[in-house]
Amino acid sequence: MTASSYLATRAANTAGSVSLDTSTHPTQLRIAGDWTLAHYHELRQQTDALSDGFAASAQVDMSELGALDTAGASLLVELLGVQRLRLLAVQAPNLPESSRALMQTIQSALTDYHQPQKDSEIATGTQLLARIGCAVEVVWNDTLQLLGFIGLILQTFVTTMLRPKRWRTTSVIAHIEQIGLDAAPIVALLTFMVGAVVAFLGATVLKAFGATIFTVDLIGFSFLREFAVLLTSILLAGRTASAFTAQIGSMKANEELDALRTLGLSPTELLVLPRVLALLVSLPMLTFLAMICGIVGGGVVCAVSLGISPAMFLSLMQADIGVQHFLVGIIKAPIFAFFIAAIGCLEGFKVQGSAESVGAHTTSSVVQSIFVVIVLDALAAMFFMEMGW
């Protein structure tokens, strides 16, 4: 006999089978061979044929049962049912304990299984309202956290100002260099270009009315009151607030904040206060630089396109634009700076400890800072307009 024929005979001899012996009393259900995945198709046909073909009183003979795996055990569980499985210890005393435990485990799993029910469809309008409600709740919680954090900053500031030995002058100066001096070129270039664009637009629109001379007033009013402080604040919201969040968030992820607290140091005093003070100093100075560069950009366009000389440009600004417009613009800079720094540092403290969390809160700090700056600027514009300033 060849090896292949031997293996075929071996597989046929060990293939599982089930038969019903009606010659005995009571009827016996004989289960023999290997009940494994390799013989699953044939065993499924045999069990389906006997599913309703024997009485409940029939005894089970498993004396010739061979190998048993999960697939075969599931077929036996379906064939025998719960009642016969409970009597296996009596009707099949020679059944290995492992096989009995396997069938009982599968029977328990099949009994406990329930077809998952599909959730009912929620109306689109209801989903929309639910998402709006969740968004409002998030905004409300973020607002409360920001107000609480602002209170903590003010408390720390007052406490530190009364103790000169705890002033961190070196840290404040270093942050002023990073925030203000390093950002000066991009602020100057941006506002210069915007000033030139505003002058082009003003000259184009006012030319139809024969009032191109008022382009000077348009440039002066827009940059002294709004554009300079708004553009600078938005630029620093993207540049500085994100840096604050990433720096503090990385420290929290590396558990450096916990180390500071263990040493008895206040993270608010050590990390937040120097950044807030540095931005309070840097943003007004950058705003003043933005005013100058924006007006210079508009003056260059007026000189090139409208024939308005620099001397005439400056004289028209001096005659038509009062100093209160400069004060209206510059007074908003510290307010914007305080909120930008507070939001950037607060989002850094919210980091959970992973790189993904650092990125998410960095993005959130930029979005929140820009949003708050625009809202505050709109409120300030309405207030000053009503006051006649």
Side-chain angles (χ1 to χ4, degrees), residues 305-328:
S305 300
L306 304 178
I308 301 176
S309 64
M312 185 178 179
F313 185 90
L314 293 176
S315 63
L316 289 173
M317 285 196 62
Q318 184 178 5
D320 297 340
I321 301 176
V323 70
Q324 72 271 16
H325 303 296
F326 167 77
L327 297 177
V328 166

Short mmCIF file of all heavy atoms in Angstrom, two decimals, residues 305-328:
data_model
loop_
_atom_site.label_atom_id
_atom_site.label_comp_id
_atom_site.label_asym_id
_atom_site.label_seq_id
_atom_site.Cartn_x
_atom_site.Cartn_y
_atom_site.Cartn_z
N SER A 305 0.81 106.03 -7.83
CA SER A 305 -0.39 105.96 -8.68
C SER A 305 -1.19 107.26 -8.70
O SER A 305 -1.81 107.59 -9.73
CB SER A 305 -1.30 104.83 -8.18
OG SER A 305 -0.64 103.59 -8.24
N LEU A 306 -1.21 108.01 -7.61
CA LEU A 306 -2.07 109.18 -7.52
C LEU A 306 -1.31 110.50 -7.57
O LEU A 306 -1.92 111.57 -7.59
CB LEU A 306 -2.90 109.13 -6.22
CG LEU A 306 -3.75 107.86 -6.02
CD1 LEU A 306 -4.47 107.92 -4.69
CD2 LEU A 306 -4.74 107.71 -7.17
N GLY A 307 0.01 110.41 -7.54
CA GLY A 307 0.80 111.64 -7.58
C GLY A 307 0.75 112.44 -6.30
O GLY A 307 1.01 113.65 -6.32
N ILE A 308 0.43 111.81 -5.19
CA ILE A 308 0.40 112.50 -3.90
C ILE A 308 1.78 112.33 -3.27
O ILE A 308 2.20 111.23 -2.94
CB ILE A 308 -0.69 111.91 -2.98
CG1 ILE A 308 -2.06 112.04 -3.63
CG2 ILE A 308 -0.68 112.59 -1.62
CD1 ILE A 308 -3.18 111.39 -2.84
N SER A 309 2.48 113.45 -3.09
CA SER A 309 3.83 113.39 -2.56
C SER A 309 3.80 112.99 -1.08
O SER A 309 2.79 113.16 -0.40
CB SER A 309 4.52 114.75 -2.70
OG SER A 309 3.84 115.73 -1.92
N PRO A 310 4.92 112.46 -0.56
CA PRO A 310 4.95 112.11 0.86
C PRO A 310 4.65 113.27 1.77
O PRO A 310 3.98 113.11 2.80
CB PRO A 310 6.38 111.59 1.05
CG PRO A 310 6.78 111.07 -0.30
CD PRO A 310 6.12 112.01 -1.28
N ALA A 311 5.13 114.47 1.43
CA ALA A 311 4.86 115.63 2.28
C ALA A 311 3.38 115.95 2.29
O ALA A 311 2.79 116.24 3.35
CB ALA A 311 5.66 116.83 1.77
N MET A 312 2.74 115.90 1.15
CA MET A 312 1.30 116.15 1.08
C MET A 312 0.52 115.05 1.80
O MET A 312 -0.48 115.31 2.48
CB MET A 312 0.86 116.23 -0.39
CG MET A 312 -0.60 116.60 -0.59
SD MET A 312 -1.03 116.71 -2.33
CE MET A 312 -2.77 117.12 -2.20
N PHE A 313 1.00 113.82 1.66
CA PHE A 313 0.36 112.69 2.33
C PHE A 313 0.37 112.90 3.84
O PHE A 313 -0.67 112.74 4.52
CB PHE A 313 1.11 111.40 1.96
CG PHE A 313 0.50 110.15 2.50
CD1 PHE A 313 -0.46 109.46 1.78
CD2 PHE A 313 0.88 109.66 3.75
CE1 PHE A 313 -1.02 108.28 2.28
CE2 PHE A 313 0.32 108.50 4.25
CZ PHE A 313 -0.64 107.81 3.52
N LEU A 314 1.51 113.28 4.39
CA LEU A 314 1.61 113.48 5.83
C LEU A 314 0.81 114.69 6.29
O LEU A 314 0.19 114.67 7.36
CB LEU A 314 3.08 113.63 6.23
CG LEU A 314 3.95 112.39 6.06
CD1 LEU A 314 5.40 112.69 6.40
CD2 LEU A 314 3.44 111.26 6.96
N SER A 315 0.77 115.74 5.50
CA SER A 315 0.01 116.92 5.89
C SER A 315 -1.49 116.64 5.90
O SER A 315 -2.22 117.11 6.78
CB SER A 315 0.33 118.09 4.95
OG SER A 315 -0.08 117.78 3.62
N LEU A 316 -1.96 115.85 4.94
CA LEU A 316 -3.37 115.49 4.91
C LEU A 316 -3.74 114.60 6.12
O LEU A 316 -4.81 114.78 6.72
CB LEU A 316 -3.71 114.75 3.61
CG LEU A 316 -3.72 115.60 2.34
CD1 LEU A 316 -3.89 114.72 1.11
CD2 LEU A 316 -4.84 116.65 2.41
N MET A 317 -2.86 113.69 6.46
CA MET A 317 -3.12 112.87 7.63
C MET A 317 -3.14 113.70 8.90
O MET A 317 -3.98 113.52 9.78
CB MET A 317 -2.06 111.75 7.75
CG MET A 317 -2.22 110.62 6.76
SD MET A 317 -1.26 109.17 7.25
CE MET A 317 -2.01 108.77 8.82
N GLN A 318 -2.22 114.63 9.00
CA GLN A 318 -2.17 115.47 10.19
C GLN A 318 -3.39 116.36 10.31
O GLN A 318 -3.90 116.62 11.41
CB GLN A 318 -0.89 116.33 10.16
CG GLN A 318 -0.69 117.18 11.39
CD GLN A 318 0.59 117.97 11.34
OE1 GLN A 318 1.31 117.95 10.32
NE2 GLN A 318 0.91 118.68 12.40
N ALA A 319 -3.93 116.80 9.18
CA ALA A 319 -5.08 117.71 9.22
C ALA A 319 -6.39 116.96 9.45
O ALA A 319 -7.29 117.49 10.11
CB ALA A 319 -5.14 118.48 7.89
N ASP A 320 -6.52 115.74 8.93
CA ASP A 320 -7.81 115.05 8.95
C ASP A 320 -7.95 113.99 10.03
O ASP A 320 -9.06 113.64 10.42
CB ASP A 320 -8.07 114.39 7.59
CG ASP A 320 -8.16 115.42 6.47
OD1 ASP A 320 -8.41 116.60 6.77
OD2 ASP A 320 -7.98 115.01 5.30
N ILE A 321 -6.85 113.45 10.51
CA ILE A 321 -6.91 112.31 11.43
C ILE A 321 -6.38 112.73 12.78
O ILE A 321 -5.22 113.14 12.91
CB ILE A 321 -6.12 111.11 10.88
CG1 ILE A 321 -6.68 110.70 9.52
CG2 ILE A 321 -6.17 109.93 11.85
CD1 ILE A 321 -5.92 109.61 8.85
N GLY A 322 -7.23 112.65 13.80
CA GLY A 322 -6.84 113.03 15.15
C GLY A 322 -6.12 111.91 15.88
O GLY A 322 -6.14 110.75 15.48
N VAL A 323 -5.52 112.28 17.02
CA VAL A 323 -4.75 111.30 17.79
C VAL A 323 -5.65 110.27 18.45
O VAL A 323 -5.19 109.18 18.80
CB VAL A 323 -3.91 112.05 18.84
CG1 VAL A 323 -4.80 112.63 19.93
CG2 VAL A 323 -2.86 111.13 19.45
N GLN A 324 -6.96 110.57 18.61
CA GLN A 324 -7.85 109.61 19.26
C GLN A 324 -7.98 108.32 18.43
O GLN A 324 -8.22 107.24 18.98
CB GLN A 324 -9.23 110.21 19.52
CG GLN A 324 -10.10 110.42 18.30
CD GLN A 324 -9.86 111.78 17.65
OE1 GLN A 324 -8.85 112.45 17.94
NE2 GLN A 324 -10.78 112.21 16.80
N HIS A 325 -7.81 108.40 17.13
CA HIS A 325 -7.88 107.19 16.30
C HIS A 325 -6.70 106.26 16.58
O HIS A 325 -6.85 105.04 16.58
CB HIS A 325 -7.93 107.57 14.83
CG HIS A 325 -9.07 108.47 14.48
ND1 HIS A 325 -10.38 108.09 14.60
CD2 HIS A 325 -9.10 109.76 14.03
CE1 HIS A 325 -11.17 109.08 14.23
NE2 HIS A 325 -10.41 110.11 13.88
N PHE A 326 -5.54 106.87 16.80
CA PHE A 326 -4.38 106.07 17.19
C PHE A 326 -4.61 105.42 18.55
O PHE A 326 -4.31 104.23 18.76
CB PHE A 326 -3.13 106.96 17.23
CG PHE A 326 -1.96 106.31 17.91
CD1 PHE A 326 -1.21 105.34 17.26
CD2 PHE A 326 -1.62 106.68 19.21
CE1 PHE A 326 -0.13 104.76 17.90
CE2 PHE A 326 -0.54 106.09 19.84
CZ PHE A 326 0.21 105.13 19.20
N LEU A 327 -5.17 106.18 19.50
CA LEU A 327 -5.42 105.63 20.84
C LEU A 327 -6.45 104.51 20.80
O LEU A 327 -6.35 103.53 21.53
CB LEU A 327 -5.88 106.75 21.77
CG LEU A 327 -4.86 107.87 22.01
CD1 LEU A 327 -5.46 108.96 22.90
CD2 LEU A 327 -3.59 107.30 22.65
N VAL A 328 -7.48 104.66 19.96
CA VAL A 328 -8.49 103.61 19.84
C VAL A 328 -7.86 102.30 19.38
O VAL A 328 -8.21 101.21 19.86
CB VAL A 328 -9.61 104.05 18.88
CG1 VAL A 328 -10.49 102.86 18.47
CG2 VAL A 328 -10.47 105.13 19.51
#
